[in-house]
Amino acid sequence: MKIAVNTPNGNIGKPLTKHLLDAGAELILLTRSPDKVKPFAERGAAVHEGNLSDESFVVEATRGADVLFWLTAGDYTVDDLRAQQNMMGRNAAAAITANKIARVVDLSSIGAQHDSGTGPIAGLHDVEKILEKTGAHITHLRPGFFMENYFMYVGPIASEGTVFLPLPGSTRLAMIATADIARHAADRLLDTSWTGRSVIELVGPEEVTFEDAARTIGGAIGKDVKHVQVTEDQSREAIKAMGISTGVANLMNEMHAAFAAGKVVPEGPNPVVATMTLETFAKNVFRPGFEAMTG
């Protein structure tokens, strides 16, 4: 069984690829940076270099694949992110159809049941619908808020001991580590027994407030870290300063408002509960990453 994986050097794609190789799977990797996946190539993975925005590349690179793992990589520099997400979904659909790929595991998001009002997540709703039209057996993995998102705030954490977000610190989410997402994705990709359309919602083992999350992150690095609620205007300017477009900054604000309003929640009553706690993540993942980034 050949499994095609895009974004194999990302926070999810890298551990996912390792899981699959450890299980003896034959892999096809789609990447713009083959040097970053050289260890996987040395283990036998076939590496195809190209851009996922190029439909012909996606179709050709996935030729011969029986299963596809698809992560819709967003370009945060574009003005219309939703249009770009839709284009990526159409490229994946073209490959699935042309190559008669039997099964697809699509990385989506909790909240993707809504077609609007959730910022970038609404684009993943569109991708789900685009992929379903191919007629392939498809599983949408819908994880919650990534714990790794805290790496976006290393700068202000290091300089000011703060995490700036435009939502109340009392907002609760069952945050999840990408390592847990990768493990569940690998299990699904290796399972040949399922058919039809499935949605698997993934949440962390505990709901935590953003205030508690900041304290936990701080405790792991030996620093007093606080969550500070900022205005949407302040958030927009801070996001744009990272090189992100105004359109995407507005979508991020919309997503944070949806978190605060309780809109980004599982659709079903029984989401799958992951194992890594925020405390474990903070000590074992965030702390070494923070130290490496801040010297």
Side-chain angles (χ1 to χ4, degrees), residues 161-167 169 210-211 214 226-231:
T162 54
V163 176
F164 296 107
L165 281 167
L167 77 173
F210 279 87
E211 290 171 343
K226 296 180 180 179
H227 174 96
V228 176
Q229 182 177 0
V230 296
T231 66

Side-chain angles (χ1 to χ4, degrees), residues 5-291:
V5 176
N6 76 334
T7 64
N9 57 313
N11 285 334
I12 294 171
K14 184 177 291 186
L16 168 63
T17 300
K18 184 178 184 301
H19 283 309
L20 294 173
L21 286 171
D22 289 346
E26 186 175 358
L27 297 189
I28 300 168
L29 305 181
L30 285 67
T31 180
R32 288 188 298 179
S33 306
D35 56 310
K36 294 182 179 179
V37 296
K38 186 176 179 181
F40 298 143
E42 292 172 348
R43 294 185 61 184
V47 177
H48 294 264
E49 180 181 2
N51 195 316
L52 296 174
S53 64
D54 179 353
E55 179 184 309
S56 62
F57 162 70
V58 179
V59 171
E60 185 58 34
T62 56
R63 199 172 301 283
D66 304 295
V67 186
L68 171 66
F69 172 77
W70 184 258
L71 186 155
T72 302
D75 180 353
Y76 286 1
T77 65
V78 301
D79 289 326
D80 191 343
L81 177 63
R82 191 165 187 173
Q84 189 258 349
Q85 290 171 306
N86 273 254
M87 177 268 292
M88 296 281 280
R90 289 192 297 271
N91 289 354
I96 294 163
T97 301
N99 297 323
K100 296 180 172 59
I101 297 174
R103 286 186 175 83
V104 179
V105 175
D106 163 46
L107 188 78
S108 185
S109 172
I110 279 180
Q113 66 268 28
H114 303 296
D115 63 4
S116 63
T118 57
I121 299 172
L124 299 180
H125 166 92
D126 296 344
V127 173
E128 287 191 9
K129 301 305 178 187
I130 291 169
L131 298 183
E132 287 170 11
K133 291 179 181 178
T134 65
H137 304 302
I138 186 162
T139 293
H140 302 297
L141 287 184
R142 293 181 181 173
F145 185 93
F146 295 178
M147 294 178 186
E148 277 78 1
N149 288 340
Y150 276 95
F151 281 114
M152 295 175 61
Y153 308 104
V154 164
I157 288 173
S159 62
E160 303 175 59
T162 54
V163 176
F164 296 107
L165 281 167
L167 77 173
S170 59
T171 304
R172 289 183 174 273
L173 291 178
M175 302 178 187
I176 186 169
T178 55
D180 280 331
I181 300 169
R183 178 169 52 83
H184 283 284
D187 289 345
R188 195 64 171 174
L189 288 162
L190 293 167
D191 183 356
T192 60
S193 65
W194 57 273
T195 58
R197 175 190 184 271
S198 303
V199 172
I200 299 177
E201 297 178 301
L202 304 173
V203 297
E206 57 188 351
E207 283 196 347
V208 296
T209 67
F210 279 87
E211 290 171 343
D212 288 340
R215 280 193 289 269
T216 299
I217 292 291
I221 61 174
K223 189 179 183 70
D224 183 23
V225 177
K226 296 180 180 179
H227 174 96
V228 176
Q229 182 177 0
V230 296
T231 66
E232 289 192 353
D233 286 342
Q234 290 171 321
S235 175
R236 183 183 301 107
E237 294 309 309
I239 292 171
K240 287 168 61 179
M242 299 178 190
I244 295 171
S245 72
T246 299
V248 173
N250 289 334
L251 288 177
M252 292 295 188
N253 276 342
E254 182 178 85
M255 180 178 68
H256 289 134
F259 284 145
K263 187 173 184 178
V264 184
V265 294
E267 180 179 23
N270 298 305
V272 174
V273 179
T275 58
M276 188 180 295
T277 65
L278 183 63
E279 183 176 6
T280 298
F281 166 81
K283 290 179 179 178
N284 296 343
V285 181
F286 187 83
R287 180 170 62 191
F290 178 84
E291 291 171 352

